[in-house]
Amino acid sequence: QVQLVESGGGLVQPGESLRLSCAASGSGFSTYTMDWYRQAPGKQRELVATITSGGNTNYGDSVKGRFTISRDNFKRTVALQMNSLNPEDTAIYYCHAQRVSLGYWGQGTQVTVSS
């Protein structure tokens, strides 16, 4: 089993940057595909970014070129660097770990972009 704890959320102004981090406990972290999802009020949860166990990345169309996902298998962390934030990025951001049929979620961290 994997436990995930997100951190780094907060209130920022449009155009600013924020870096989210997700710390994992449990075994086999390096074998998991790691994702960041987000959910805005009244909207469905959407996939923001993915990084596979091999380091391949994929991004949602709305964040391409602005967000970067990375992982450190030694530290068992995954990060989401978010640049050029805009109010539409306001949401709760969730870390997710997936391996075959096993999936785990963190509790989420709030990101608010507002002037």
Side-chain angles (χ1 to χ4, degrees):
Q1 187 159 350
V2 174
Q3 290 81 41
L4 303 171
V5 179
E6 302 97 333
S7 61
L11 172 64
V12 295
Q13 295 188 344
E16 293 186 339
S17 299
L18 206 58
R19 185 177 179 86
L20 304 183
S21 184
C22 173
S25 60
S27 61
F29 174 79
S30 63
T31 66
Y32 283 80
T33 290
M34 301 299 299
D35 313 286
W36 284 97
Y37 284 78
R38 68 185 182 186
Q39 188 166 19
K43 295 187 177 181
Q44 289 188 335
R45 192 170 295 190
E46 66 168 335
L47 178 63
V48 174
T50 296
I51 185 165
T52 68
S53 59
N56 294 316
T57 60
N58 194 31
Y59 297 91
D61 288 341
S62 62
V63 306
K64 281 181 181 177
R66 300 188 298 123
F67 290 12
T68 303
I69 189 171
S70 60
R71 67 189 297 162
D72 185 327
N73 289 333
F74 181 74
K75 295 181 178 179
R76 292 188 290 184
T77 58
V78 60
L80 184 68
Q81 178 66 41
M82 305 185 295
N83 299 328
S84 302
L85 286 162
N86 59 62
E88 289 70 40
D89 296 315
T90 295
I92 299 174
Y93 285 70
Y94 297 91
C95 182
H96 177 255
Q98 182 76 42
R99 184 178 69 186
V100 191
S101 61
L102 297 173
Y104 303 97
W105 293 93
Q107 83 288 350
T109 186
Q110 176 71 48
V111 172
T112 303
V113 185
S114 175
S115 56

